[in-house]
């Protein structure tokens, strides 16, 4: 999209029909995004908490930066470097994510850095690394989707979360392909499907294993592909065969005939894809669940071939790039492992430090938040709002309040920023130049379109100013292109190699971007990753590497790896006291924690507040009608919101969107149980009870299920 300024100075979005990803289509959030550029709704001056009144009051930039540097320095002196924490965001540009990781490890010397993207794609990333040796959300462009024969979409409601992408599924069906949607709710996306499977939340792993069992039993495996391009099949096959159809029906609630229909549609197509999103990923077994869907692709030869494969749909603006360049607790730029001596040596050389001086891996996102006020005394937070977005949010809020010192850099005064000792107003998307990497691995240059209000600085300026105050006057430039040039060198030779991408190349590329990996010593075609494709494909040499794995996978032997997995229960299953399952998600008009979208009048009119979606049978048992207030209670807390009665959800499940704070905060309820590999919390499944709420003379009366 582009921007234009009207006669009154208001900024308006201009659609760019030629852009290859969305063809100019925007959802309401994108179209109304300029509203947050207004000084009426965003921060325009630093705030510091008054020692006298305890309130946030305006301050100069010098005062605010001095206060932050003093707070962090005092913590390091009294408690050590690892008592300083850093928490980033998946909406930061690649340059800012890179600089933040470097700041944590070089200027602060702390291992305690992670980011909110851990709550987004980490299980899919871990499963992709395990199976293919490389994680890139989609190993093919979105434009390939309408040209395949069948798509299984697992746990994604694209119609509301990524509306412009829904067109690819519509085109798929128009081209004669079929769509299978897996979701416990009959969402707007599920309504578009040829087949809708509605499993009980937390049972996606059993469902995938049951489908693989049927594929084996019906002789639908691609034995030649398995023999030539994979390893570990026998163990994975044996694990799947323990999940026979009737057993899977009992676990998931999906009837056996529907399981057979899914296998027929998926295997009957010449090419097919599986796409996952937060539904199967935000579970304490998310990595294994995604791995089971990948096994399904490998067993049928639906990976490493044109118009086939496994892909993950991201949930944040720079969800892919944000995790590639050092924000994660265990990673260095270029998707290098922090525990790899060669990776440490390479990045340390670019940074001009001793490899031994780099700290080791730190805590994952929830574990870091849980340690606040304990081992971690001070926190620098950029572009995240964990008071609303973290699981077990009331506990996380309590831990944040217990910190000795909190500094927040954000566009708006979020619920987390309201608790800070210092708040810094920083630039946003239209006010800064930088690169982002979309879910296809397409690196895009986003150019500054408007000037930020006076008093607002970029995150790069913030890190530069803090680093200088902490004794690192050099090494933290403020110009995005200069940062990107260093990022190129740091990523060179790594899995996410950006060294062949430059601002000059991106400027000359008509804004269509370049796909990584793109090594500097080639024209952009990464040799082992295979780039050729069927008719209609992009020029792979000019665009980098649009399609991965066509020649070989990114493992040492070039083979994809089956991983044997078996179904296991969620961390918290329903019982007599908490008999209902809660699952959470997004709605069309709001985004993530809502910190920005809740400030847009048009979006608030469309989605003014939280709600509890429940089945008519459950509503009847409670004596609840549409819009009646209900309480949802878990072992971690209680949320109250109006009822939305619909047969589009399972009778054993309730749904809440997670965009709001206060008494309707869905993440007050959610479970922090972590996946053992990805450290992803179990947002999608927890046990609750639902209560009817009546208010009589301001005294609340509750009646349980």
């Amino acid at each position: 999209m582009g921007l234009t300024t009207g006669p009154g100075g208001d900024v308006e979005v201009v659609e760019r029909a030629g852009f290859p990803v969305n063809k100019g289509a925007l959802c309401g959030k994108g179209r109304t995004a300029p509203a947050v550029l207004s000084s009426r709704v965003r921060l325009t001056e630093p705030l510091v908490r008054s020692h006298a009144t305890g309130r946030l009051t305006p301050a100069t930039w010098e005062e605010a930066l001095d206060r932050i540097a003093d707070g962090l320095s005092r913590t390091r002196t009294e408690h050590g470097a690892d008592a300083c924490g850093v928490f980033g965001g998946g909406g930061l540009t690649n340059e800012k994510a890179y600089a933040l990781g470097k700041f944590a490890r070089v200027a602060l010397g702390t291992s305690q850095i992670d980011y909110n993207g851990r709550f987004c794609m980490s299980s899919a990333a871990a499963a992709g690394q395990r199976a293919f040796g490389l994680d890139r959300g989609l190993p093919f462009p979105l434009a390939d989707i309408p040209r395949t024969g069948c798509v299984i979409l697992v746990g994604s409601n694209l119609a509301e979360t990524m509306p412009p992408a829904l067109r690819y599924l519509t085109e798929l069906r128009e081209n004669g392909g079929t769509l299978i949607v897996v979701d416990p709710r009959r969402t707007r996306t599920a309504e578009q499907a040829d087949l809708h499977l509605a499993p009980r939340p937390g049972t996606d792993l059993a469902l995938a294993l049951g489908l693989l069992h049927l594929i084996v039993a019906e002789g639908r495996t691609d034995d030649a592909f398995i023999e030539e391009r994979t390893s570990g099949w026998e163990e994975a096959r044996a694990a799947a065969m323990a999940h026979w159809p009737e057993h899977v029906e009992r676990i998931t609630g999906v009837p056996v005939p529907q399981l057979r229909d899914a296998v027929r549609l998926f295997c009957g197509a010449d090419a097919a894809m599986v796409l996952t999103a937060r539904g199967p990923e935000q579970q304490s077994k998310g990595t294994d669940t995604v791995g089971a869907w990948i096994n399904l692709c490998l067993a049928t030869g639906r990976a490493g071939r044109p118009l086939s494969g496994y892909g993950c749909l991201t949930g944040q603006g720079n969800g892919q790039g944000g995790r590639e360049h050092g924000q994660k607790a265990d990673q260095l730029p270029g998707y290098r492992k922090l525990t790899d001596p060669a990776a440490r040596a390479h990045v340390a050389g670019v940074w001009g430090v001793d490899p031994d001086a780099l700290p080791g891996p730190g805590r994952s996102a929830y574990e870091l938040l849980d340690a606040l006020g304990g081992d971690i005394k001070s926190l620098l937070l950029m572009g995240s709002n964990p008071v609303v977005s973290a699981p077990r949010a009331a506990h996380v809020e309590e831990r944040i309040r217990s910190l000795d010192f909190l500094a927040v850099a954000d566009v708006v005064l979020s619920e987390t920023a309201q608790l800070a000792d210092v708040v810094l107003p920083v630039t946003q998307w239209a006010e800064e130049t930088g690169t982002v990497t979309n879910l296809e691995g397409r690196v895009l240059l986003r150019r500054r379109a408007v000037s930020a209000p006076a008093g607002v600085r970029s995150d790069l300026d913030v890190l530069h100013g803090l680093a200088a105050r902490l004794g690192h006057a050099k090494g933290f430039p403020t110009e995005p292109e200069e940062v990107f040039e260093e990022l190129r060198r740091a990523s060179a030779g790594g899995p996410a190699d950006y060294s062949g991408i430059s601002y000059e190349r991106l400027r000359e590329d008509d804004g269509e971007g370049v796909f990584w990996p793109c090594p500097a010593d080639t024209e952009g075609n990464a040799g082992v990753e295979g780039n050729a494709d069927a008719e209609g494909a992009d020029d792979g040499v000019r665009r980098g590497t649009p399609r991965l794995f066509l020649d070989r996978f990114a493992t040492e032997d070039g083979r994809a790896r089956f991983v044997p997995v078996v179904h296991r229960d969620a961390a918290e299953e329903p019982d007599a006291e908490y008999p209902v399952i809660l699952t959470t998600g997004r709605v069309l008009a709001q985004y993530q924690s809502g910190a920005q979208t809740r400030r847009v009048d048009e979006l608030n009119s469309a989605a003014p507040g939280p709600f509890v979606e429940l089945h008519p049978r459950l509503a009847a048992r409670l004596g609840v009608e549409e819009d009646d207030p209900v309480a949802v209670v878990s072992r971690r807390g209680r949320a109250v919101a109006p009822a939305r009665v619909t047969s589009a959800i399972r009778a054993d499940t309730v749904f809440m969107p997670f965009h709001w704070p206060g008494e309707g905060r869905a993440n007050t309820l959610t479970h922090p149980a972590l996946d053992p590999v990805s450290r992803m919390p179990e947002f999608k499944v927890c046990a609750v009870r639902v209560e009817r709420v009546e208010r009589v003379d301001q005294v609340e009366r509750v009646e349980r299920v």
Side-chain angles (χ1 to χ4, degrees):
M1 68 180 179
L3 295 179
T4 184
T5 303
D10 291 334
V11 177
E12 296 180 356
V13 170
V14 179
E15 295 180 352
R16 184 180 162 208
F19 187 58
V21 179
N22 64 347
K23 306 296 184 185
L26 293 172
C27 69
K29 297 185 286 290
R31 182 173 47 76
T32 61
V36 188
L37 297 171
S38 170
S39 297
R40 297 187 297 271
V41 300
R42 53 93 57 83
L43 293 165
T44 57
E45 58 186 347
L47 304 173
V48 300
R49 194 165 299 281
S50 167
H51 296 304
T53 67
R55 297 176 180 174
L56 288 171
T57 58
T60 67
W61 269 95
E62 296 307 304
E63 179 185 355
L65 291 173
D66 286 346
R67 181 83 74 91
I68 296 172
D70 288 346
L72 295 173
S73 295
R74 185 169 58 253
T75 295
R76 285 199 307 172
T77 299
E78 295 177 0
H79 304 285
D82 273 356
C84 295
V86 177
F87 200 88
L92 301 181
T93 63
N94 292 323
E95 292 80 1
K96 294 191 291 188
Y98 171 84
L100 186 62
K102 180 180 179 181
F103 175 83
R105 295 180 173 101
V106 175
L108 285 178
T110 182
S111 66
Q112 301 303 305
I113 174 172
D114 211 76
Y115 81 127
N116 63 14
R118 178 77 67 171
F119 300 157
C120 181
M121 293 172 67
S122 57
S123 291
Q129 290 275 12
R130 203 161 64 173
F132 306 130
L134 185 71
D135 157 48
R136 196 179 83 183
L138 294 180
F140 42 74
L142 279 163
D144 283 0
I145 293 174
R147 300 164 57 209
T148 192
C150 178
V151 169
I152 301 180
L153 183 66
V154 190
S156 172
N157 183 13
L158 278 179
E160 298 203 46
T161 60
M162 296 173 63
L166 186 65
R167 61 186 294 272
Y168 292 107
L169 300 179
T170 302
E171 290 177 14
L172 166 75
R173 300 187 70 212
E174 290 173 349
N175 292 340
T178 56
L179 173 63
I180 302 169
V181 171
V182 179
D183 198 304
R185 303 164 63 221
R186 189 162 183 81
T187 63
R188 291 173 57 194
T189 307
E191 289 174 352
Q192 307 297 314
D194 298 280
L195 177 63
H196 173 213
L197 308 180
R200 181 174 173 269
T203 64
D204 308 87
L205 176 52
L207 178 63
L209 288 163
L211 296 179
L212 183 52
H213 176 111
L214 283 171
I215 285 169
V216 174
E218 295 178 6
R220 296 179 181 269
T221 56
D222 187 331
D223 296 337
F225 179 88
I226 292 170
E227 175 67 25
E228 295 167 8
R229 301 201 57 191
T230 72
S231 62
W233 167 236
E234 290 304 322
E235 294 82 357
R237 177 185 179 279
M241 296 313 288
H243 299 76
W244 59 94
E246 292 76 14
H247 178 52
V248 168
E249 178 179 323
R250 286 195 294 272
I251 294 172
T252 65
V254 177
V256 171
Q258 289 190 1
L259 299 176
R260 295 189 184 278
D261 286 344
V263 167
R264 174 179 53 81
L265 293 172
F266 185 69
C267 294
D270 291 335
M273 299 173 179
V274 172
L275 305 177
T276 68
R278 306 301 79 75
E281 298 163 18
Q282 287 182 326
Q283 299 184 29
S284 60
K285 51 182 181 292
T287 302
D288 283 356
T289 300
V290 173
W293 289 105
I294 291 175
N295 286 350
L296 196 74
C297 292
L298 295 177
T300 54
R302 306 306 173 82
R305 286 176 170 169
L307 307 182
S308 287
Y310 163 77
C312 169
L313 302 174
T314 188
Q316 295 199 68
N318 194 27
Q320 180 69 48
R323 70 179 185 272
E324 294 170 359
H325 299 297
Q327 281 193 100
K328 286 184 73 174
D330 55 350
Q331 288 181 357
L332 289 170
Y335 230 141
R336 287 182 158 92
K337 292 184 181 298
L338 193 52
T339 53
D340 178 0
R344 293 171 65 88
H346 174 84
V347 174
V350 174
W351 289 350
V353 299
D354 184 342
D356 292 336
L358 294 177
R363 294 175 172 89
S364 70
Y366 179 78
E367 291 167 305
L368 190 157
L369 295 171
D370 189 41
L372 300 181
D375 292 341
I376 299 175
K377 307 295 184 182
S378 295
L379 181 70
L380 172 65
L381 185 146
M382 285 186 164
S384 188
N385 188 18
V387 164
V388 178
S389 64
R392 197 184 174 196
H395 172 73
V396 168
E397 179 178 346
E398 177 188 334
R399 301 321 306 151
I400 289 173
R401 290 179 181 275
S402 72
L403 282 164
D404 291 349
F405 182 80
L406 171 64
V408 173
D410 210 333
V411 173
V412 297
L413 191 65
S414 70
E415 287 72 21
T416 305
Q418 292 172 26
L419 305 180
D421 297 283
V422 180
V423 182
L424 301 178
V426 291
T427 52
Q428 53 181 308
W429 57 282
E431 301 163 347
E432 60 188 12
T433 293
T435 61
V436 295
T437 306
N438 78 347
L439 73 167
E440 308 163 297
R442 187 193 300 256
V443 183
L444 301 157
L445 179 61
R446 191 176 67 194
R447 308 186 198 197
R448 183 174 68 85
V450 297
S451 297
V456 174
R457 298 184 184 180
S458 79
D459 296 274
L460 295 179
D461 284 296
V462 169
L463 295 174
H464 173 83
L466 291 177
R469 285 166 171 78
L470 294 170
H472 295 267
K474 296 182 179 180
F476 293 90
T478 60
E479 288 299 318
E481 187 167 2
E482 187 176 350
V483 177
F484 190 80
E485 285 299 305
E486 184 177 303
L487 182 158
R488 292 176 64 196
R489 298 195 302 275
S491 73
D497 191 334
Y498 282 34
S499 60
I501 308 173
S502 65
Y503 269 40
E504 180 180 5
R505 180 173 181 175
L506 293 173
R507 291 188 190 103
E508 293 173 350
D509 211 31
D510 300 323
E512 294 191 15
V514 177
F515 294 83
W516 71 259
C518 185
D521 58 353
T522 71
E523 291 290 333
N525 183 0
V528 301
E529 304 301 350
N531 219 353
D533 193 345
E535 57 181 310
D538 301 309
D539 174 6
V541 171
R542 186 166 66 91
R543 297 285 181 213
T545 313
R547 295 166 183 85
L548 302 174
F549 313 139
L550 298 183
D551 300 329
R552 67 192 307 273
F553 295 96
T555 56
E556 290 184 3
D557 60 5
R559 291 172 172 266
R561 295 185 285 255
F562 282 98
V563 177
V565 294
V566 296
H567 174 72
R568 59 184 184 273
D569 287 342
E572 184 178 74
E573 293 286 342
D575 56 22
E577 188 175 2
Y578 300 94
V580 180
I581 301 170
L582 168 70
T583 193
T584 65
R586 286 154 55 175
V587 297
L588 177 62
Q590 300 289 353
Y591 181 68
Q592 304 298 71
S593 74
Q596 294 185 35
T597 52
R598 285 187 275 110
R599 287 168 166 79
V600 179
D601 291 341
E602 180 179 332
L603 299 179
N604 277 332
S605 295
F611 58 85
V612 180
E613 192 175 274
L614 67 164
H615 191 275
R617 290 207 297 271
L618 177 56
R621 289 169 58 197
L622 287 164
V624 167
E625 297 182 355
E626 186 79 5
D627 291 329
D628 285 350
V630 296
V632 182
V633 184
S634 77
R635 290 178 173 85
R636 289 153 296 283
R638 182 174 184 270
V640 178
R644 184 172 293 181
V645 182
T646 173
S647 59
I649 193 168
R650 291 173 55 98
D652 58 3
T653 301
V654 295
F655 167 84
M656 289 188 71
F658 53 65
H659 309 291
W660 287 273
E663 72 171 3
R665 181 174 60 184
N667 278 318
T668 296
L669 310 168
T670 49
H671 202 299
L674 302 180
D675 181 286
V677 180
S678 68
R679 315 308 289 169
M680 167 75 83
E682 190 148 60
F683 287 99
K684 289 300 185 217
V685 191
C686 71
V688 299
R689 66 173 180 263
V690 185
E691 303 171 341
R692 185 178 69 184
V693 175
E694 294 184 1
R695 299 183 188 275
V696 180
D697 297 328
Q698 306 302 314
V699 178
E700 186 179 86
R701 188 176 70 201
V702 169
E703 294 188 17
R704 295 187 184 180
V705 174

